[in-house]
Amino acid sequence: QVQLEESGGGLVQAGGSLSLSCAASGSIFSINAMRWYRQAPGKQRELVAELTSGGRTNYADSVKGRFTISRDNAKNRVSLHMNSLRPEDTATYYCNADLRATMSSALRGYWGQGTQVTVSS
């Protein structure tokens, strides 16, 4: 069974930095894209950053220039490097991946459990 596991969340001061990591394990044939979402209390889950297998990246306007998504293909891992953090970045961050578990499997999305990021004023 495919499993995504996030790590690296915590409490940081405004202006500080934090790096999140997501490791995909289990039966994985190929990964089409990996993403980071976040959800703050009372708000909708939003896409923060995306990295496709072709190397294209997309970022939410609110994090452009501050966050960087990267992927280690050999380890099926994606990271989110967050700089110049702001209190409004406080949220639960979720790893998401579009992948095929086997060559004959359909492409589908998988989600991690989430990791909390809290930025103090």
Side-chain angles (χ1 to χ4, degrees):
Q1 183 65 40
V2 174
Q3 181 178 346
L4 302 182
E5 184 176 3
E6 302 99 335
S7 62
L11 174 64
V12 298
Q13 295 181 350
S17 300
L18 194 65
S19 292
L20 307 180
S21 180
C22 172
S25 61
S27 179
I28 301 173
F29 175 72
S30 63
I31 299 176
N32 185 62
M34 300 193 79
R35 307 177 183 89
W36 286 97
Y37 285 79
R38 68 185 181 187
Q39 187 168 25
K43 292 189 175 182
Q44 297 274 44
R45 187 171 298 186
E46 65 173 342
L47 177 65
V48 176
E50 178 184 57
L51 179 62
T52 70
S53 60
R56 295 186 63 183
T57 58
N58 294 294
Y59 297 94
D61 288 340
S62 60
V63 307
K64 285 182 179 178
R66 300 188 298 118
F67 290 11
T68 302
I69 187 170
S70 62
R71 178 179 171 185
D72 184 337
N73 291 333
K75 297 182 178 181
N76 293 325
R77 181 182 298 270
V78 64
S79 297
L80 184 68
H81 307 284
M82 305 181 291
N83 299 314
S84 302
L85 284 163
R86 306 165 181 170
E88 52 263 42
D89 294 319
T90 296
T92 300
Y93 285 70
Y94 297 90
C95 178
N96 167 260
D98 291 342
L99 59 84
R100 298 179 186 272
T102 69
M103 185 176 183
S104 60
S105 298
L107 185 68
R108 59 157 288 184
Y110 293 84
W111 292 87
Q113 294 291 330
T115 185
Q116 179 67 35
V117 173
T118 302
V119 184
S120 62
S121 301

